[in-house]
Amino acid sequence: MQRRTFLGATLAAAECALLAGAGLLKPQRALAAWPAAAFNAETLDAALRALSGGAPISDSDAIVLQAPEQAADGRTVPVDVISKIPGTRSIALLSEKNPFPALSRFELTPAVSPSLSARIKMGGTGRVVALVEADGRYYSTSRRVEVAVGGC
Amino acid sequence: MANGNSVHRIRVESVNGGADVRILLRHPMETGTRKDSVTGITIPRHFIEEIHFEHNGEEVMAAYWSWGMALNPFVSFHIRRVRPGDVVRVHWTDNKGVSDAVEGAVALSSGKPGRV
């Protein structure tokens, strides 16, 4: 079991690296603002820049980000985000060590609480980042998750 | 469309006049980097791109996803104000253009908290 897990991880990592450059996405329908530039960005910084449109991003302790300190399996890591920043309009999730760090962007209305839980893939040990947009400004916080077996 | 035999799950639980909603969807969320263990052929990228969350037909949240969200995606969130009988519907489209949906109703608040 141990050996199998290890081999699987090695293989997964190699595949991640191999195909990291292949941008295979098609443009979306007019309605969708699927953030292609962000999702195809290959570094955390580039992904954050694409999501914020280049606007400055402030560290904020008014975002509560919960994730396990250690994740046995990077294929599914639970993440909870609560934004205490008034006027929160969107919450994006990123994982530093994924071949493509941007994972999702949720757009909220005032009808929902500015909080959500989801499960992400993590390519390896690194930071999970929550990026919050509120009143046109961007805020982020991060947590380090130690990943035993990468899940990309 | 959502149907009674859906492989997808939704739980809508009233909490203090609002509702906690949990969904668990069946989707491979392929990154496009995995290889078939038998044939060695790369499995094409296949993931939910777009997902919409509605309360009585009104969109209350939407999300754009990459292939980096986990297999069989789970999401939970909270709608601030609901009444018994209100309908929560979640629908999504993947990068192959396939759409699906699941819906649930706000029950009376007697239910035990449960997991999806």
Side-chain angles (χ1 to χ4, degrees):
Chain A
M1 190 58 200
Q2 289 282 29
R3 182 179 135 81
R4 221 177 115 196
T5 308
F6 172 75
L7 286 173
T10 309
L11 201 65
E15 287 165 10
C16 282
L18 184 67
L19 289 172
L24 298 169
L25 290 158
K26 301 179 195 78
Q28 280 311 292
R29 295 168 302 285
L31 140 99
W34 195 81
F39 287 155
N40 286 307
E42 295 175 23
T43 64
L44 180 63
D45 282 350
L48 285 167
R49 256 200 316 278
L51 286 165
S52 70
I57 300 170
S58 326
D59 286 340
S60 173
D61 52 14
I63 306 165
V64 181
L65 173 61
Q66 291 183 310
E69 277 176 30
Q70 296 176 320
D73 183 354
R75 287 177 301 181
T76 179
V77 180
V79 176
D80 299 331
V81 185
I82 301 169
S83 171
K84 297 177 177 171
I85 303 170
T88 293
R89 291 299 306 276
S90 80
I91 298 175
L93 298 174
L94 304 93
S95 168
E96 182 184 13
K97 292 295 163 63
N98 289 31
F100 301 96
L103 309 176
S104 57
R105 190 178 78 204
F106 288 82
E107 304 195 344
L108 284 59
T109 67
V112 296
S113 299
S115 65
L116 56 91
S117 302
R119 293 178 190 154
I120 63 171
K121 295 189 185 104
M122 290 190 70
T125 297
R127 285 181 294 153
V128 172
V129 179
L131 175 71
V132 167
E133 177 193 0
D135 287 334
R137 293 173 183 270
Y138 288 86
Y139 307 86
S140 74
T141 195
S142 67
R143 276 187 91 87
R144 188 175 184 276
V145 177
E146 205 167 293
V147 178
V149 180
C152 279
Chain B
M1 287 299 291
N3 62 65
N5 300 320
S6 179
V7 295
H8 313 293
R9 306 270 176 83
I10 185 166
R11 179 176 289 271
V12 183
E13 186 193 334
S14 335
V15 180
N16 301 327
D20 284 341
V21 182
R22 298 184 187 86
I23 59 161
L24 183 60
L25 311 181
R26 185 77 67 92
H27 198 283
M29 297 301 286
E30 287 289 352
T31 58
T33 58
R34 289 198 323 128
K35 287 189 166 66
D36 185 295
S37 59
V38 177
T39 64
I41 296 168
T42 302
I43 302 167
R45 196 172 270 172
H46 184 200
F47 63 101
I48 294 172
E49 284 184 335
E50 196 178 316
I51 179 163
H52 299 266
F53 304 83
E54 294 172 0
H55 172 217
N56 288 345
E58 193 109 330
E59 185 162 286
V60 293
M61 186 167 78
Y64 302 103
W65 287 359
S66 82
W67 47 91
M69 298 301 275
L71 164 79
N72 295 333
F74 169 85
V75 177
S76 81
F77 66 103
H78 180 81
I79 302 174
R80 292 181 195 273
R81 267 191 217 105
V82 299
R83 288 160 175 268
D86 283 3
V87 174
V88 178
R89 181 167 186 270
V90 180
H91 63 100
W92 59 93
T93 305
D94 71 21
N95 66 318
K96 295 183 176 180
V98 177
S99 297
D100 207 344
V102 67
E103 67 180 43
V106 177
L108 298 172
S109 55
S110 57
K112 280 274 186 198
R115 298 192 61 83
V116 163

